[in-house]
Amino acid sequence: MGGSLVAKRAAVSAPNQTLSLFRLSFCNLLKTFSTSSSSSAAAENPKNETSKPKRRKKKNLFEVAQFLPNWGIGYHMAKSHWANVSYEITKINLYKDGRHGKAWGIAHKDGLPIADAAPKKISGVHKRCWKYIPSLAKSIEGKASSPKSTETASKTEVQAA
């Protein structure tokens, strides 16, 4: 009798165990689908990222100059909050890390050099507010090339005479 009772319990519990395993695996499957669908919905419409635009990290003078030819020597740079004032970079002493150092330049206002055209040390080169001014560099290069072209034209006239 005792043996038959154990056999009956084993026979009854075996389908129950398989049924409970099936329920667990089915529940896990549903959880997997529900979490993947909610995470994909969050990925499609993230509320925090769409409401706030990403801010670009502003650069110091050396981080701007590293992308210019010859580390920006001869080019105009200014702080972003300056109006009509810039520096034409004449000399840069760069520290080993490439992001810090010292810089010298000629101050310009409205594209023309300020009265004393001697280069002076630029202050605030490590502050993160510098920008490159392409329009001044191109216009000054154009002005510099035009006197040379008149000099070469006058030399050819002298040689012809």
Side-chain angles (χ1 to χ4, degrees):
M1 251 187 170
S4 65
L5 185 62
V6 172
K8 286 181 184 178
R9 281 190 180 172
V12 170
S13 67
N16 287 341
Q17 283 181 348
T18 56
L19 186 61
S20 65
L21 287 176
F22 176 73
R23 284 182 189 158
L24 285 176
S25 62
F26 185 71
C27 290
N28 287 338
L29 182 66
L30 286 178
K31 286 180 185 178
T32 305
F33 282 126
S34 65
T35 57
S36 66
S37 64
S38 65
S39 64
S40 64
E44 291 171 6
N45 191 8
K47 293 178 183 177
N48 294 340
E49 293 180 16
T50 55
S51 63
K52 295 181 182 179
K54 286 189 177 181
R55 297 175 83 185
R56 278 198 249 171
K57 184 178 179 183
K58 294 186 178 183
K59 298 179 179 181
N60 67 22
L61 184 127
F62 304 104
E63 291 170 342
V64 173
Q66 73 181 356
F67 296 107
L68 296 171
N70 200 15
W71 277 88
I73 294 177
Y75 290 88
H76 285 257
M77 291 189 214
K79 291 185 179 181
S80 58
H81 57 273
W82 287 352
N84 302 324
V85 178
S86 66
Y87 276 101
E88 180 183 355
I89 307 299
T90 57
K91 179 182 173 184
I92 287 184
N93 281 352
L94 197 61
Y95 295 163
K96 286 184 180 180
D97 65 353
R99 294 185 200 166
H100 300 92
K102 298 176 184 175
W104 289 263
I106 300 171
H108 285 68
K109 183 166 179 111
D110 296 322
L112 300 172
I114 295 179
D116 61 337
K120 64 179 187 176
K121 187 174 177 181
I122 303 171
S123 63
V125 293
H126 296 124
K127 296 192 176 196
R128 297 195 165 274
C129 58
W130 286 91
K131 64 181 179 178
Y132 163 64
I133 304 177
S135 60
L136 288 178
K138 290 179 183 176
S139 65
I140 293 194
E141 286 175 6
K143 290 177 186 175
S145 65
S146 61
K148 289 180 183 177
S149 62
T150 56
E151 289 175 9
T152 55
S154 62
K155 286 181 183 177
T156 55
E157 290 174 8
V158 171
Q159 289 176 354

